[in-house]
Amino acid sequence: MGRFLSLLLAVAWLMTVSAAVDPALSDGRVTGELLPGWRENSEWAKAWVHYSVHRENGKAFQRADVRKIESGYCQFDFRLPADLKPGTWELRFKVRLLGRGRLNTGIRMVNAPYRWLFKTSVHPGGEWQEVSKVFSLRRLPAGEPLSILMQFNGVAVLDLQDVELVPAKPETGLEQNLFRQYSLELGLPGAWSWQNCFSDGDHVVFSPASGETGPSGMTPLKIEMRSGVMTSYDYRDTLSIYSAPMLPPPSGRKIVAGMMLKGAASGELAVRCGSRIVAKRSFSLRPEEGWRRVDVPFTASERGIYTLELSFRGTVLCDALYAGVPEKLAEAGRSGWTELAPDTGLNAAAGILFRGEPVSLRVLARPAPEAKTLKIEAVNLYGDRVNCRIPFPGNGGTLRKTVALELPAERRMGAWRLEASQLDAAGKTLAVPVAERVVNLLPRPVHWGKDAPDSPFGIHVQPVNRHLVMAKAVGANWVRLHDAGVQLLGWAYLERKPGEWHFDDAGIQRYRRHHLKLLGELTTAPSFRSYAVKSSAPYPTLRQSVTSPYFLPLSMEEYRSYCERIIRRYAGEVDVFDVWNEPWLPLFFHMDYVKKLPENAKRWASFGGGYYLSPDDPAKLFYEMQKQVRQAVRNVGKSIRVLGVNTTDSLGSEGRVPGREFSRRMAELGAAEDCDAISYHQYLTGLTGFPGDEVERGYERAIGPIRNHSGKLPRPVWFTEGSPLVEPCDGFYRTIPPGASPAEIFDTGDRIVRFVTSLLGCGVEKIFLYSMGLHNGYGTLNPHRLLITAAGELHPSAAAYANLTSLLEGKRFVRRVTVGNRVYASIFSDGTKSTAVLLPDPAYREAKWSPADSKQWCAVDLFGNRFVANSPYAALVTGTGSPAELETYLKQER
């Protein structure tokens, strides 16, 4: 059947007869013709598409000319045979793109609920690119038709050729160490991580085990878990370390994965394929036992990303990593391997360098028998490269060295991937795993090392040192304590038993030590003081979901007392507070949980096999909570600001309250005047940065009713949660999956810059992006993760955000003007210096602007490097002069 399916698809690319698209189905928006077997599926969307069939080198290819998208996507699909079987499949095709956009593809249900059984994203370039994606279909929905869906989001010309779905060949894998390193002397390797609430240097300490020689002959890595930590889910008394994805294991073979351990600890070693644990083993260590190999046997029965998870409490020394067939274990220590690490220091550990700082690396390598030199190469997103070669010792001994790399004078800013590979005498690369690291060259933030209360730039981030360094380094100066950090102030986390309070003052101080101002959140309630005690059905536990502590408090007086306690304790450290969270969303504002939805239910949200029920008039009850917080501030007698309203741009779905309706009700109650700032949230997926974009429309839905009711905005507006991303690409690694193309990284950075610029253009006073706190290794990829990778490393797109914040800090939005050919320039100024953020119209392929020669003004690209002509991505122009002078220059253009 697999061969039949492959031939069935291939027929479409060989036949000259095509099928016409019926334009009447889309009111004339979609026209043209498709190859046989393919069906148009965009009639539901507001997308203008013309399909055509062309030939190149004797082969037909499908072209989709997407001319305009107001909502939805361009979609077309190929119906799969009804007898498709579960198994491991390979989807492969050729694709190229004129313009910018993202192609989502995979296997999806034809009918509602349109669930993806497999989904992947591709950012094609201007040349034909071969794509191959291997995946497992473990169970198929009975009786449901399936299709290969091509879902394109972008105004561009998409070409597609040679689509095939075939049974995947068994993974031959490698009969070598599937870990890229054998030793851990230089610390955790690239793409390794640990549980996201454990702060390095506080809850956990990583250090070389000085004076100790491990089984590898190298200094072991010492990991000391000093204490457990309260997370936004529960108290964790074990620390988890997550490996980078292993090299592909051979299918059907017995594999062992583990390491040599020593110390005083107990825990578990587990192998994951994606998020699923495929094998695990418990262990207990005593110091007198010495070194002991702890490994987990498993069989790679499906394709996917395999990682190792080490969870323990205590102190361990780690060395001699090995994953592979058992019979090759003895050879692992004799094979070649390389470790690569940034030079010492907190910034270096976070993968950050500021402009002008040297790239300094520590190298540790055991040469393979044929290796003569070690090549270290740095490559950036533009493809610029620089390298050096270091000879191995003549006796074949271990190479230890600190290496300085001189980057090119131009296009230095942004992400650089550092690769170390072993070469033979002829300069040929040997089959020794490449060691990789990514460092990010950023502009030094305007407020590095000091508080910036007037800064508009905020983030959500855990109280973890390396991430606080990252947040401050990219120009964020404020943090909202929601999800990431909610455990420090949330009532349910602090009073876990009646009358027993547990505060984490050190967590609050950690933020402040990094000069991050705090927006505290007075939220959640202990189950014994909330409507949880009256729940109609068992509700999801805190470990299962962060929604459980958002049952509303039984007593408003008790809620006010809790608020007073927090405000009094942290006055001076936290001087702005948010009230609860998202009262328009029953997931975070509920009074009951039921298994069957009542017929008269008005406000509800489905979750965990049941339904959360909110009060019929959530605005009224939320305003009562807001008044309690205001009273608590007066009782404490401190100069504390309180955010109010907490609305949304949402159109409303299920039993959620539409933002326009919620804002109108809050305005009628007087809540907008009874606060110090109005807060709102927005999440979106489309590109922004043009007049009437989704940011502007969302702002109007959320804030317009308040302005209209009062005749003007009674208070400043803070954007306290949201993101322009839902499917972030991951990292800039080449050999460590899943990786990302430069086009994906440019696209991600551009979306963030457009989003922030549009919000500032609406007059928003502060912006808290969501979130740098959502990472726990490659087994749990969170769709709202932003500015960091799945391993918690700085995402390359963060350099675009850093470039934006460094040039806009201290400046106010002045106006937006159109320059060049459909390029929108948002001008900011502090009265002396001015900066324009240039955003080409994403719906117009020919949008461009070219800078005239100037000594006064400097044009740079998305990451702060030299300006790139005809780029669809954001650019910035900055210099000393007034907004009028800058506008004049922008309109000169070459």
Side-chain angles (χ1 to χ4, degrees):
M1 197 278 293
R3 180 62 180 162
F4 167 75
L5 179 58
S6 176
L7 290 172
L8 180 67
L9 281 158
V11 165
W13 310 103
L14 296 174
M15 291 180 65
T16 56
V17 179
S18 54
V21 173
D22 184 357
L25 297 175
S26 62
D27 295 330
R29 294 188 300 272
V30 183
T31 59
E33 57 184 7
L34 287 164
L35 283 163
W38 290 86
R39 307 177 313 151
E40 213 290 314
N41 190 235
S42 309
E43 65 272 6
W44 59 275
K46 289 294 182 70
W48 283 257
V49 185
H50 180 73
Y51 295 102
S52 55
V53 177
H54 302 264
R55 299 189 71 82
E56 190 171 290
N57 298 325
K59 281 189 175 182
F61 67 88
Q62 181 69 59
R63 172 163 289 177
D65 185 351
V66 185
R67 296 168 178 177
K68 181 181 178 181
I69 294 181
E70 289 184 357
S71 63
Y73 307 91
C74 163
Q75 292 188 166
F76 53 104
D77 70 352
F78 190 99
R79 184 75 65 90
L80 295 174
D83 60 347
L84 184 74
K85 303 296 183 185
T88 302
W89 294 86
E90 180 184 8
L91 175 63
R92 57 193 186 211
F93 54 89
K94 291 181 180 178
V95 63
R96 70 180 172 190
L97 182 68
L98 176 62
R100 69 175 291 186
R102 179 177 65 211
L103 175 65
N104 297 324
T105 185
I107 311 301
R108 201 182 79 160
M109 294 171 57
V110 171
N111 301 320
Y114 309 111
R115 181 168 61 88
W116 290 90
L117 278 68
F118 163 71
K119 183 181 180 183
T120 187
S121 297
V122 181
H123 282 71
E127 303 294 331
W128 282 112
Q129 171 186 347
E130 293 187 359
V131 176
S132 173
K133 301 292 183 180
V134 176
F135 58 95
S136 294
L137 295 177
R138 303 177 66 185
R139 284 184 297 273
L140 301 180
E144 291 288 344
L146 305 173
S147 70
I148 300 172
L149 181 68
M150 298 292 171
Q151 184 186 74
F152 182 68
N153 184 6
V155 177
V157 176
L158 177 75
D159 292 340
L160 199 66
Q161 188 179 62
D162 293 346
V163 179
E164 288 187 292
L165 181 67
V166 297
K169 296 178 181 178
E171 179 66 73
T172 56
L174 301 167
E175 290 201 355
Q176 66 179 67
N177 193 347
L178 304 178
F179 288 121
R180 292 165 176 81
Q181 291 81 15
Y182 185 62
S183 156
L184 292 173
E185 181 172 315
L186 299 188
L188 292 181
W192 284 57
S193 60
W194 65 93
Q195 208 277 334
N196 65 8
C197 289
F198 283 80
S199 179
D200 44 319
D202 300 301
H203 306 110
V204 58
V205 176
F206 300 91
S207 63
S210 301
E212 184 91 30
T213 300
S216 70
M218 307 295 138
T219 302
L221 174 65
K222 180 181 178 182
I223 307 177
E224 179 186 358
M225 178 189 159
R226 290 183 171 176
S227 69
V229 62
M230 191 69 192
T231 74
S232 55
Y233 284 90
D234 58 7
Y235 186 81
R236 297 291 169 91
D237 61 356
T238 59
L239 168 71
S240 292
I241 308 291
Y242 311 105
S243 80
M246 302 178 199
L247 296 168
S251 296
R253 296 281 301 275
K254 180 183 177 182
I255 303 294
V256 293
M259 63 190 75
M260 295 293 288
L261 296 176
K262 176 182 175 180
S266 61
E268 182 179 273
L269 204 61
V271 173
R272 289 182 179 269
C273 180
S275 60
R276 189 172 65 89
I277 293 179
V278 296
K280 61 183 179 180
R281 173 171 287 177
S282 299
F283 66 86
S284 180
L285 304 175
R286 295 196 301 271
E288 62 271 18
E289 293 178 334
W291 287 100
R292 173 182 157 199
R293 174 158 292 281
V294 178
D295 54 28
V296 183
F298 71 99
T299 301
S301 58
E302 61 180 283
R303 294 286 188 95
I305 293 178
Y306 284 84
T307 56
L308 187 71
E309 180 178 335
L310 169 65
S311 301
F312 69 95
R313 60 177 67 89
T315 299
V316 297
L317 276 61
C318 307
D319 192 31
L321 301 174
Y322 180 74
V325 294
E327 53 267 29
K328 296 287 184 177
L329 173 60
E331 299 178 14
R334 298 191 294 271
S335 302
W337 45 264
T338 308
E339 289 184 67
L340 196 61
D343 211 348
T344 54
L346 198 54
N347 287 14
I352 291 167
L353 295 169
F354 292 136
R355 183 186 279 118
E357 294 180 345
V359 179
S360 183
L361 303 168
R362 293 176 294 145
V363 178
L364 175 66
R366 175 169 289 171
E370 309 85 9
K372 298 301 179 183
T373 58
L374 184 71
K375 178 183 176 182
I376 301 178
E377 183 171 63
V379 58
N380 66 8
L381 294 169
Y382 309 87
D384 301 329
R385 297 173 183 272
V386 62
N387 67 73
C388 66
R389 299 192 180 195
I390 307 168
F392 282 112
N395 60 3
T398 300
L399 173 69
R400 280 186 175 87
K401 195 173 180 66
T402 299
V403 179
L405 279 177
E406 183 60 41
L407 300 179
E410 292 190 338
R411 303 201 291 203
R412 296 171 62 95
M413 306 305 291
W416 287 84
R417 183 177 63 242
L418 309 172
E419 302 181 8
S421 51
Q422 298 191 15
L423 312 180
D424 65 14
K428 181 181 177 182
T429 302
L430 297 172
V432 175
V434 174
E436 294 186 82
R437 286 281 186 173
V438 174
V439 298
N440 300 272
L441 195 57
L442 309 177
R444 186 178 294 272
V446 174
H447 298 294
W448 182 249
K450 54 188 176 183
D451 287 357
D454 297 327
S455 173
F457 303 115
I459 196 68
H460 294 73
V461 63
Q462 296 284 3
V464 172
N465 281 318
R466 70 164 177 159
H467 292 119
L468 301 181
V469 169
M470 293 178 192
K472 191 70 177 180
V474 299
N477 291 299
W478 280 82
V479 173
R480 176 175 177 249
L481 302 184
H482 168 74
D483 281 6
V486 68
Q487 66 272 20
L488 302 182
L489 298 182
W491 188 7
Y493 301 90
L494 303 182
E495 191 185 10
R496 298 169 216 166
K497 294 181 180 180
E500 294 184 13
W501 292 77
H502 304 269
F503 294 98
D504 185 0
D505 296 343
I508 295 293
Q509 291 161 8
R510 204 172 299 124
Y511 286 110
R512 298 296 297 122
R513 194 164 59 243
H514 289 275
H515 297 282
L516 290 162
K517 296 288 289 180
L518 295 176
L519 169 58
E521 190 175 79
L522 297 168
T523 191
T524 72
S527 60
F528 49 85
R529 299 197 190 279
S530 76
Y531 278 91
V533 299
K534 298 183 178 183
S535 180
S536 299
Y539 52 87
T541 65
L542 181 57
R543 178 173 278 273
Q544 295 169 323
S545 169
V546 292
T547 59
S548 69
Y550 286 88
F551 278 95
L552 293 171
L554 291 167
S555 164
M556 284 297 168
E557 288 74 19
E558 287 187 344
Y559 176 68
R560 185 181 67 237
S561 176
Y562 145 72
C563 295
E564 282 187 33
R565 185 187 293 261
I566 297 301
I567 293 167
R568 194 180 306 277
R569 186 180 188 92
Y570 292 115
E573 302 288 349
V574 185
D575 49 21
V576 188
F577 284 94
D578 210 357
V579 181
W580 207 257
N581 178 60
E582 297 183 346
W584 39 269
L585 178 59
L587 290 175
F588 293 102
F589 201 79
H590 45 260
M591 301 179 74
D592 199 2
Y593 184 79
V594 298
K595 287 299 183 181
K596 183 179 180 181
L597 190 65
E599 290 184 5
N600 62 347
K602 186 177 180 182
R603 302 298 178 200
W604 56 274
S606 58
F607 189 85
Y611 304 88
Y612 283 116
L613 302 182
S614 184
D616 288 347
D617 188 358
K620 182 178 180 181
L621 189 52
F622 178 76
Y623 182 40
E624 180 59 35
M625 299 184 80
Q626 182 178 313
K627 289 190 289 186
Q628 295 296 331
V629 176
R630 296 279 280 179
Q631 184 60 51
V633 169
R634 287 191 287 269
N635 292 349
V636 172
K638 299 289 185 179
S639 179
I640 300 291
R641 288 180 289 171
V642 177
L643 271 56
V645 180
N646 200 325
T647 187
T648 176
D649 77 311
S650 171
L651 298 173
S653 61
E654 288 192 334
R656 296 163 171 81
V657 187
R660 192 180 296 276
E661 177 184 330
F662 187 82
S663 297
R664 183 169 55 247
R665 179 69 175 130
M666 292 299 286
E668 291 169 353
L669 292 167
E673 287 83 5
D674 193 12
C675 64
D676 297 294
I678 299 164
S679 69
Y680 83 105
H681 297 176
Q682 182 183 32
Y683 288 86
L684 49 80
T685 58
L687 286 169
T688 59
F690 53 90
D693 67 8
E694 187 54 33
V695 167
E696 291 186 7
R697 297 198 301 271
Y699 180 89
E700 186 60 29
R701 289 193 296 270
I703 305 302
I706 298 171
R707 183 194 60 238
N708 296 341
H709 182 271
S710 303
K712 63 177 183 178
L713 274 179
R715 298 290 184 270
V717 176
W718 285 26
F719 180 85
T720 53
E721 184 181 321
S723 170
L725 308 177
V726 290
E727 293 176 353
C729 63
D730 208 276
F732 186 38
Y733 289 114
R734 181 174 64 86
T735 67
I736 302 175
S741 68
E744 289 177 273
I745 294 168
F746 270 92
D747 179 80
T748 303
D750 179 73
R751 287 173 183 270
I752 295 169
V753 167
R754 286 173 177 271
F755 187 60
V756 172
T757 302
S758 291
L759 285 167
L760 291 172
C762 288
V764 167
E765 190 171 275
K766 297 205 187 300
I767 301 167
F768 293 82
L769 295 177
Y770 187 90
S771 161
M772 285 182 69
L774 302 171
H775 65 91
N776 269 314
Y778 288 91
T780 52
L781 302 180
N782 193 298
H784 294 305
R785 176 171 44 82
L786 175 144
L787 300 182
I788 58 171
T789 69
E793 297 172 332
L794 197 66
H795 193 281
S797 65
Y801 179 72
N803 183 42
L804 180 76
T805 61
S806 70
L807 293 177
L808 296 191
E809 188 66 74
K811 300 182 178 73
R812 299 292 182 185
F813 176 75
V814 178
R815 59 182 169 271
R816 180 176 60 205
V817 297
T818 303
V819 300
N821 195 6
R822 295 272 286 273
V823 174
Y824 305 108
S826 293
I827 298 176
F828 299 79
S829 182
D830 62 6
T832 302
K833 296 181 179 180
S834 299
T835 297
V837 185
L838 275 61
L839 303 175
D841 191 330
Y844 189 62
R845 292 178 210 145
E846 289 75 28
K848 63 180 180 179
W849 173 86
S850 300
D853 293 334
S854 174
K855 294 182 179 179
Q856 182 180 8
W857 305 104
C858 175
V860 296
D861 78 350
L862 184 65
F863 295 105
N865 295 303
R866 70 168 184 259
F867 179 83
V868 179
N870 303 322
S871 169
Y873 306 115
L876 293 94
V877 177
T878 191
T880 301
S882 69
E885 289 176 283
L886 178 52
E887 181 177 346
T888 299
Y889 168 73
L890 293 172
K891 290 184 174 179
Q892 286 176 358
E893 135 166 84
R894 186 167 55 200

